[in-house]
Amino acid sequence: MAAGGRPATMRAVQYGGYGGGAATLKFVEIPVPSLKKNEILIKIEAASLNQADWRIQKGLMRPFHPKFPFIPVTDVSGEVIEVGSAIHEFKVGDKVVSKLNLWKAGGLAEYVAASESNTVSRPAGISAADAAGLPVAGLTALQALSSIGTKFDGSGTGDDVLITAASSGVGTYAVQLAKLGNHRVTTTCGARNLDLVGSLGADEVLDYATPEGAALASPSGRKYDYIVNLTDRGKWSVFRPQLSSNGGRVVDVSPNLGNFLASVMTLFSRRKRLSLVILTLGKKELGFLLELMREGKLKTVVDSRHPFEKAAEALERSMSGHATGKVIVEM
């Protein structure tokens, strides 16, 4: 340990090039990050994986990102053990949740330097694992539902909403948030998750492998005011017939090329259209989600927990496409 109780080195998991998946992850012993004046040093207790973590490794942002060697993962929760000279909101010993900068990441490590502007306090009673699941997945769900005018205080009358891939990390949060907004919620997921998604509040749950599920057809025959699409396999040609004729809209979180083109073609449409969601929410909204969790109105659905030593297994699970909720690595 260095002077003042600050460790000199830490274990971290990194990779040195594009591709290769979990097999390319390597444990290394490296110096603990030094702090800028507006940063805090977090001893990580739990981190959660997102699709972006392994898609970046596969070359999603090639050749611009990342710079190798790279420590992945942006969503972490833990304890503050040191603060920069300009920090006023946090002190040593505070429990926090942070959405790390995408370009630096660093969450698969024992310690990470996090910006105060991307970090919030973790309320008592919320576990590190539950909190770590929130940043990217929870904020994405919140932004998608906010974009259709959802009022999360229960004062809204609600709309007919379809949420695809409802058993995913984003989807499990989206269903709960949609019900807080009094929406009438239809969902799609795999057969093994029908009961789980129903338990989160969905009014109708479709098995995507059935003809009705593939067509996104509501069992009650309703048309949707909004479709929140969370899968890159969704098609505008399938969405369009299921939208209400009175200005139905698709909010696409995971657009493929066809849906990107549809967003351009329907940009000025007064009836059916598709719009894209790019995550811009941050600290304030993350605090809001944690408050909902503290009040028992929102929960993290945990697919699996993996010790730090088995981080590769966690990445494999996330890459499988079969995770239900969030994949967590615990330090």
Side-chain angles (χ1 to χ4, degrees), residues 43-57:
K43 182 179 182 180
I44 299 174
E45 297 171 349
S48 73
L49 275 62
N50 297 293
Q51 286 189 3
D53 295 318
W54 52 265
R55 287 183 172 179
I56 288 171
Q57 187 200 22

Side-chain angles (χ1 to χ4, degrees), residues 35 38-42 76 87 98 100 112-117 119:
L35 295 183
N38 63 339
E39 291 181 331
I40 60 175
L41 186 64
I42 301 173
V76 301
I87 297 295
S98 189
L100 303 174
V112 72
S115 170
E116 183 179 42
S117 63
T119 303

Side-chain angles (χ1 to χ4, degrees), residues 17-36:
Y18 293 113
T24 65
L25 296 182
K26 295 181 179 180
F27 277 91
V28 293
E29 188 85 11
I30 59 175
V32 169
S34 57
L35 295 183
K36 297 178 180 178

Side-chain angles (χ1 to χ4, degrees), residues 19-155:
T24 65
L25 296 182
K26 295 181 179 180
F27 277 91
V28 293
E29 188 85 11
I30 59 175
V32 169
S34 57
L35 295 183
K36 297 178 180 178
K37 64 180 183 180
N38 63 339
E39 291 181 331
I40 60 175
L41 186 64
I42 301 173
K43 182 179 182 180
I44 299 174
E45 297 171 349
S48 73
L49 275 62
N50 297 293
Q51 286 189 3
D53 295 318
W54 52 265
R55 287 183 172 179
I56 288 171
Q57 187 200 22
K58 292 177 71 174
L60 176 66
M61 303 176 73
R62 189 175 193 167
F64 307 104
H65 181 62
K67 180 180 178 181
F68 302 116
F70 185 69
I71 302 171
V73 177
T74 59
D75 295 3
V76 301
S77 184
E79 181 176 335
V80 177
I81 67 163
E82 187 180 338
V83 298
S85 61
I87 297 295
H88 302 291
E89 183 177 351
F90 303 108
K91 64 183 184 302
V92 171
D94 285 350
K95 300 292 188 178
V96 295
V97 188
S98 189
K99 176 177 171 287
L100 303 174
N101 181 292
L102 175 68
W103 301 97
K104 292 177 60 179
L108 277 188
E110 292 178 312
Y111 300 89
V112 72
S115 170
E116 183 179 42
S117 63
N118 293 327
T119 303
V120 298
S121 295
R122 188 177 91 210
I126 298 178
S127 71
D130 286 345
L134 274 175
V136 168
L139 288 174
T140 299
L142 181 65
Q143 184 155 345
L145 271 298
S146 297
S147 74
I148 65 174
T150 305
K151 297 180 179 180
F152 302 101
D153 61 2
S155 64

